[in-house]
Amino acid sequence: MLSIGITGGIGSGKSTVCRVFRTLGIPVFQADLVARRLQDEDPAIRKSLTGLFGPEIYTENGTLNRKKLAGIIFSDHQELETVNNVVHPAVHKEFNNWKKQMAHYPYVLYEAAILFETGSANTFDYTILVIADENERMERVMKRDQITAEAILMRMKNQMNDAEKILLADYIIENNDNQLIIPQILKLDQILKSK
Ligand code: ATP
């Protein structure tokens, strides 16, 4: 069974692409969702984040104050890296346990907003990159999340740009408005199943 990392910048449509793979029967591990759960629940991660940013990094009801953390990490690259180093090993551990139950599938997807940035891309058999033009990504996210262009730009700045990632990825899915993703996904599914 192959492990495939799939990534793409904010608003590129990686979750949309993963939904299509899921309808083809391919299991998808949503790393960002698991990271969120672990940040709320895992005692070792809570301890590390509290140690780094003080107890007020958690809200009164015990969940991570994501707005506060985003304010810190998206304006300070070093802090972002520190938090990634705390959270990513735990997420990978969960992925490896999850994968054991998926051994009968031809391949599984690990969906994450950052993959090449953390060096974790090397742990997969292949990688898929979803790309779309920056202005389209911006429009989609503004419509989806009701956040400002400035806030989106700040997040984009913390992600590697598409030109750099294209050089590192094994497969590319183009998801601009004028491109159909389903034929690209069906073709890739066939390729991966034949590996
Ligand atoms: P993020 O990293 O921010 O979670 P993402 O890469 O997972 O983003 P999606 O959530 O899949 O991106 O897509 C962003 C928004 O754009 C969603 O509202 C989605 O429905 C929409 N979208 C994705 N692909 C297309 C497309 N080809 N045409 C129009 N809208 C699209």
Side-chain angles (χ1 to χ4, degrees):
M1 195 253 316
L2 297 174
S3 296
I4 316 288
I6 177 164
T7 190
I10 181 169
S12 58
K14 62 189 165 300
S15 302
T16 307
V17 167
C18 284
R19 270 203 294 279
V20 180
F21 273 108
R22 211 177 273 123
T23 64
L24 296 175
I26 299 303
V28 180
F29 182 88
Q30 293 177 287
D32 299 331
L33 272 188
V34 172
R36 285 172 79 107
R37 178 171 54 74
L38 291 175
Q39 283 168 338
D40 285 341
E41 295 173 3
D42 185 281
I45 292 179
R46 290 180 68 95
K47 196 169 168 217
S48 297
L49 294 180
T50 307
L52 285 164
F53 307 113
E56 58 282 1
I57 203 67
Y58 283 90
T59 62
E60 270 169 25
N61 64 25
T63 57
L64 182 69
N65 187 336
R66 298 203 153 76
K67 215 170 167 182
K68 196 178 180 103
L69 187 67
I72 300 168
I73 62 178
F74 291 120
S75 58
D76 183 332
H77 196 76
Q78 197 56 51
E79 298 285 29
L80 175 63
E81 214 174 301
T82 306
V83 172
N84 283 341
N85 289 339
V86 167
V87 180
H88 275 145
V91 175
H92 272 271
K93 204 168 147 201
E94 288 250 334
F95 175 62
N96 286 329
N97 287 334
W98 174 86
K99 224 169 57 174
K100 285 182 197 143
Q101 297 149 38
M102 305 295 158
H104 53 294
Y105 288 93
Y107 65 95
V108 296
L109 294 179
Y110 176 99
E111 177 197 349
I114 51 171
L115 201 69
F116 298 110
E117 290 87 340
T118 56
S120 66
N122 299 328
T123 63
F124 299 99
D125 296 297
Y126 297 98
T127 53
I128 304 171
L129 173 67
V130 182
I131 57 169
D133 293 342
E134 218 165 81
N135 53 338
E136 257 183 59
R137 290 163 52 199
M138 182 81 87
E139 255 174 53
R140 288 175 189 166
V141 177
M142 280 169 79
K143 206 152 113 193
R144 185 192 61 186
D145 297 343
Q146 264 89 56
I147 56 172
T148 63
E150 199 189 8
I152 300 166
L153 272 175
M154 212 147 105
R155 284 170 196 224
M156 282 181 174
K157 265 204 303 205
N158 278 303
Q159 299 181 338
M160 217 183 251
N161 66 42
D162 279 354
E164 286 173 276
K165 286 188 282 199
I166 284 169
L167 298 174
L168 301 170
D170 295 304
Y171 301 102
I172 312 280
I173 292 177
E174 294 187 41
N175 182 30
N176 287 306
D177 275 350
N178 58 351
Q179 286 154 323
L180 296 175
I181 52 171
I182 292 177
Q184 298 179 67
I185 295 169
L186 291 175
K187 191 173 158 195
L188 194 47
D189 177 59
Q190 287 306 314
I191 293 173
L192 294 171
K193 280 179 177 158
S194 68
K195 291 279 181 196

